[in-house]
Amino acid sequence: RPDRRRGWAIARNRAPVEAAERRARAIAGYEAMRWADLGVRYLSGLIEQMSSEDHENIPSLVFMKVGKTGLEIVLSPPPPGRLGWFSPSADGASLVLDSDLDIEDLELLAADHWPAWPAVVSLGETGGSTFMINLEHAGSLSVEGGSREVRGALAGILLQLASQPWSQEMLAGLYALGEATLDDRLAPVQQVAADKALELAERLDRVADAREELAAGLSLSAVRAVACEALPNVVVAFPGTPAGALRCLAEAARPEQSGVVLAGAGPFPGAGWRLVLGDGDGLLEGKGGERPCSWELKTGWDLEEVALVAEALGTVSDRDRAMVRPIPDMATAVEPVPRPPSRRGE
């Protein structure tokens, strides 16, 4: 990197961590994630346009699929007909990005738009496509099944929220409750002790009321698309989270209105969506718009593998803070590398 001083070596990851990171990069589908990131930003620009013309019935993202069918999205409420370069699918249940566009075209369309939906995460695969849900539209997601499967899924969700480009600098807070067992250097995750969990839940409940008042009936994603305000607070609650805190957070996580999002070890009362995990598969149940729906997903989060990748990201956080090891006889102080200015202020 050109911003690193000569004579300094970056802190190396442990060999198992490097191997896990290589495996994660191999299966993450870089191109798919790039389509998802640019698609979210382009769609945010379209919602910004709609918000300036009509304050009623502004749609929000429910979920998206990236893969064999291209880039497919479901909005609620569904817009009539086309939306920009998105066309209705054959059954009219979703919108599909026109196949005439390539990734460079989408990059131009997405330029200078921030993501209105920073809490989009992948929950698995269906029909050869990556299935990604907008957790803010869900409000709360109860992850159920065996202990290892639940912990692995929640760790995977937390890892995505800490690393995906559409989440970066777009979350007001990202909190891990309960027995997270992930690298505590993982930025920007704030790990909250059990005796502080209820205090956090009550504070976020007050924030939720203030956000609803700010939105004045609009979805927060519409407010965010226009002004980059009311960024969401996301809580990932692992096993061991106090029941009172979990209940308070589920009540505060009102879809598209409160700016509080909960993904937690379930079952718990008030959950808007459920992900029931088996051995390498899962069933997602919720409400897509106004009607109940479900999807069978191919999952497969491995808790140890996720923990190793989290350790790799923790090391990256250390590098960003210039925590490096000097080469012998060349030790000098290193100032932190300044971050580029955020586009949100533009």
Side-chain angles (χ1 to χ4, degrees), residues 142-179:
S142 171
V143 182
E144 305 168 19
S147 175
R148 285 185 58 80
E149 288 79 10
V150 168
R151 289 176 182 276
L154 290 172
I157 288 171
L158 182 64
L159 199 60
Q160 291 179 68
L161 292 167
S163 61
Q164 297 291 23
W166 54 84
S167 299
Q168 292 176 6
E169 298 188 13
M170 291 299 293
L171 298 177
L174 177 57
Y175 305 93
L177 274 60
E179 301 160 4

Side-chain angles (χ1 to χ4, degrees), residues 103-129:
I103 195 72
E104 287 75 21
D105 296 324
L106 187 57
E107 193 167 20
L108 290 173
L109 292 169
D112 300 322
H113 295 300
W114 50 69
W117 303 281
V120 171
V121 296
S122 168
L123 295 183
E125 293 185 358
T126 179
S129 296

Side-chain angles (χ1 to χ4, degrees), residues 143-262:
V143 182
E144 305 168 19
S147 175
R148 285 185 58 80
E149 288 79 10
V150 168
R151 289 176 182 276
L154 290 172
I157 288 171
L158 182 64
L159 199 60
Q160 291 179 68
L161 292 167
S163 61
Q164 297 291 23
W166 54 84
S167 299
Q168 292 176 6
E169 298 188 13
M170 291 299 293
L171 298 177
L174 177 57
Y175 305 93
L177 274 60
E179 301 160 4
T181 64
L182 288 180
D183 196 297
D184 58 9
R185 301 170 300 168
L186 188 60
V189 178
Q190 301 178 54
Q191 299 201 22
V192 180
D195 61 345
K196 298 291 185 182
L198 184 57
E199 180 183 331
L200 172 69
E202 291 174 342
R203 178 165 61 84
L204 292 182
D205 193 28
R206 294 192 293 272
V207 169
D209 292 339
R211 292 284 168 83
E212 283 198 84
E213 185 176 349
L214 170 68
L218 288 175
S219 70
L220 287 182
S221 54
V223 174
R224 201 172 301 132
V226 173
C228 198
E229 294 180 350
L231 304 183
N233 288 280
V234 185
V235 179
V236 180
F238 289 80
T241 300
L246 201 57
R247 182 169 56 252
C248 183
L249 287 166
E251 292 171 356
R254 298 182 285 277
E256 290 290 344
Q257 297 297 318
S258 67
V260 174
V261 179
L262 171 64

Side-chain angles (χ1 to χ4, degrees), residues 74-88:
V74 168
L75 302 177
S76 177
R82 290 179 59 91
L83 179 62
W85 286 91
F86 286 98
S87 303

